[in-house]
Amino acid sequence: MMNTVGIDKMSFFVPPYFLEMDELASARQVEPAKLHIGIGQDQMAVSPASQDIVTLAANAAADILTEADKAAIDMVIVGTESSIDESKASAVIVHGLLDIQPFARSIEIKEACYGATAGLQLAKNHVQQHPDRKVLVIASDIAKYGLASGGEPTQGAGAVAMLVSANPSLLALHNDEVSLSQDIYDFWRPTGQTYPSVDGKFSNETYINAFARVWEEYKTRTNLDFQDFSALAFHTPYTKMGKKALLPVLEGHADQERLMSRYEEGIVYNRRVGNLYTGSLYLSLLSLLENSRALSAGDRLGLFSYGSGTVAEFYSAELMPGFEQALLTEKHQAMLENREALDISAYEAMFSETLDLEQEKSFQDQTPFSVCEIKDGIRHYKK
Ligand code: COA
């Protein structure tokens, strides 16, 4: 029999600043209800120039790693679509910042918001082959569409770290994943372009269609249906998105009310953070685990991952006995509470500050991992 492999520990990190959607609505002269109800966002995380995907990732992972974990990690995988280098993988820097044992493989995976799911599957396969070893998978992104752009209310920043091991404390991953690739242009960012090119309406359509297709295929392959799931978690670029995909398929089903209640529990954190791109599904999973009172060991959870361009995937996982003890709920809630609210001009200034590698500069940022200096064309990090 194959070993049980899955997510042993999980944490997330968001930068210590946010913008209230009411503040954005008033500055852009849109009705607040459009953002709170129409889009489903209340707040949006904003990242200072001294925090990039490397530091977001290291801060998220530092929460969950013991010295024994660091000695057992064979691979560090970062899923991102807001990379800081076309060549060097952010995972190599994260590996160094976290003092993980040297004989490890460190790579970055790209496929829009799907990258971290690919990383998780790779991690699962590796640990199934080497049950005494572990893999660190981190989804880290800064989602930026531009000031006053159509996608502005669906921005955000943050990272989710997951430690994959045998006999996990949180979730066992099943080998039932169904993926779908389609070569289309709903959201893309050509090399050198600061902000993505996006056809927002088309991306909604392709997300909705991709869910319907992989769900249908999943049901055919597994003979499972909605009644077999305790909850479904979705990629959440904005919190209305998953609902727009789920409701047409679930409408009228006996499990509609139950699964929609779980959906709401799965977006509590996302409503306050915004879009994490690759991390959005996994933040939603954490939100579900840390905010639901309706889950118990043995429950099957379904996860829908979507990356524009597109690759979509649906798979399931089983909650492990005692999973509640492996969560960092209080820490996460305190982190969200303790952030500083920005007004619109502070947000616009922070948003617009970029790191110019040709100019030497130093930063004073109290966050454990942050950029401390730009020198010789390199970002230097504080440990
Ligand atoms: N009260 C309540 N709801 C309101 C409202 C109000 N006053 N005004 C508008 N709305 C609703 C609309 O009816 C619409 O709901 P629906 O999606 O259920 O039809 C929703 O708010 C959004 O309005 P819309 O006019 O479609 O918004 P938009 O043109 O600003 O575009 C996105 C929204 C999401 C397409 C845009 O923010 C975007 O391009 N984001 C980036 C791409 C993205 O995240 N894609 C997701 C797939 S990866």
Side-chain angles (χ1 to χ4, degrees):
M1 209 191 89
M2 206 168 259
N3 281 286
T4 305
V5 170
I7 303 173
D8 186 45
K9 293 185 262 185
M10 236 181 135
S11 190
F12 75 95
F13 179 83
V14 291
Y17 305 99
F18 73 98
L19 179 68
E20 289 284 1
M21 283 293 138
D22 287 339
E23 178 80 3
L24 184 65
S26 128
R28 303 293 180 247
Q29 294 175 332
V30 302
E31 283 184 48
K34 178 184 171 183
L35 304 185
H36 291 294
I37 301 163
I39 301 279
Q41 290 304 133
D42 302 325
Q43 298 172 341
M44 165 171 115
V46 184
S47 200
S50 53
Q51 297 190 25
D52 61 15
I53 59 148
V54 169
T55 68
L56 296 173
N59 284 311
D63 277 351
I64 55 170
L65 299 183
T66 62
E67 291 309 312
D69 294 330
K70 291 177 191 183
I73 289 173
D74 266 354
M75 268 202 270
V76 180
I77 304 175
V78 173
T80 188
E81 56 177 304
S82 42
S83 191
I84 56 161
D85 197 294
E86 303 275 16
S87 174
K88 179 172 171 141
S90 53
V92 176
I93 312 171
V94 173
H95 168 274
L97 289 174
L98 295 171
D99 287 324
I100 288 165
Q101 68 85 19
F103 299 101
R105 181 188 288 149
S106 302
I107 56 167
E108 194 169 292
I109 294 189
K110 174 178 68 187
E111 172 22 48
C113 302
Y114 169 76
T117 299
L120 204 56
Q121 295 295 356
L122 202 63
K124 179 186 76 179
N125 294 338
H126 181 80
V127 178
Q128 280 172 350
Q129 298 300 320
H130 308 277
D132 55 331
R133 307 300 295 164
K134 301 182 183 190
V135 178
L136 176 62
V137 180
I138 313 171
S140 187
D141 269 306
I142 298 177
K144 282 184 153 185
Y145 289 87
L147 297 176
S149 65
E152 189 180 33
T154 66
Q155 301 178 133
V160 182
M162 298 173 271
L163 184 67
V164 175
S165 76
N167 306 314
S169 302
L170 273 177
L171 283 164
L173 298 171
H174 293 143
N175 290 312
D176 59 357
E177 63 275 8
V178 174
S179 323
L180 173 75
S181 288
Q182 302 174 96
D183 180 13
I184 57 154
Y185 285 81
D186 59 333
F187 174 115
W188 66 107
R189 186 160 70 87
T191 310
Q193 195 173 299
T194 307
Y195 300 129
S197 300
V198 56
D199 183 340
K201 300 279 181 264
F202 187 44
S203 73
N204 288 346
E205 249 171 67
T206 52
Y207 178 117
I208 292 166
N209 291 337
F211 174 67
R213 283 187 69 186
V214 291
W215 173 245
E216 205 49 45
E217 181 67 16
Y218 182 86
K219 283 198 302 179
T220 306
R221 289 191 197 178
T222 61
N223 278 320
L224 298 171
D225 207 335
F226 287 125
Q227 68 272 8
D228 300 302
F229 287 85
S230 296
L232 301 173
F234 283 78
H235 167 53
T236 309
Y238 57 97
T239 71
K240 179 90 166 282
M241 186 68 248
K243 203 181 294 184
K244 283 159 80 88
L246 177 57
L247 264 180
V249 185
L250 183 61
E251 198 98 66
H253 202 281
D255 297 285
Q256 180 177 341
E257 204 185 311
R258 180 178 63 80
L259 288 175
M260 289 318 294
S261 300
R262 298 296 83 72
Y263 181 85
E264 293 300 325
E265 292 155 359
I267 59 172
V268 173
Y269 290 162
N270 305 66
R271 291 189 74 96
R272 301 179 63 183
V273 169
N275 197 353
L276 295 193
Y277 284 161
T278 47
S280 291
L281 165 61
Y282 299 99
L283 181 66
S284 182
L285 173 61
L286 267 177
S287 177
L288 173 70
L289 297 179
E290 296 184 359
N291 292 291
S292 181
R293 295 286 161 270
L295 298 174
S296 41
D299 283 358
R300 182 188 290 269
L301 310 182
L303 293 101
F304 177 65
S305 181
Y306 176 85
S308 286
T310 65
V311 178
E313 186 162 310
F314 186 87
Y315 66 98
S316 79
E318 183 184 323
L319 271 176
M320 295 285 95
F323 72 92
E324 301 91 339
Q325 278 82 56
L327 298 168
L328 302 171
T329 311
E330 277 173 31
K331 180 166 192 170
H332 292 150
Q333 288 174 350
M335 178 173 63
L336 290 173
E337 284 308 317
N338 295 333
R339 296 176 302 163
E340 184 183 325
L342 302 175
D343 63 17
I344 195 78
S345 59
Y347 150 69
E348 291 185 346
M350 191 175 281
F351 184 94
S352 306
E353 188 186 357
T354 49
L355 290 185
D356 179 355
L357 294 185
E358 290 178 4
Q359 279 189 336
E360 295 203 354
K361 191 169 180 179
S362 56
F363 294 91
Q364 302 295 330
D365 186 327
Q366 298 312 308
T367 310
F369 294 101
S370 57
V371 178
C372 58
E373 193 179 20
I374 302 293
K375 201 165 185 253
D376 304 325
I378 295 171
R379 294 171 191 231
H380 295 269
Y381 296 95
K382 174 167 70 90
K383 257 188 173 181

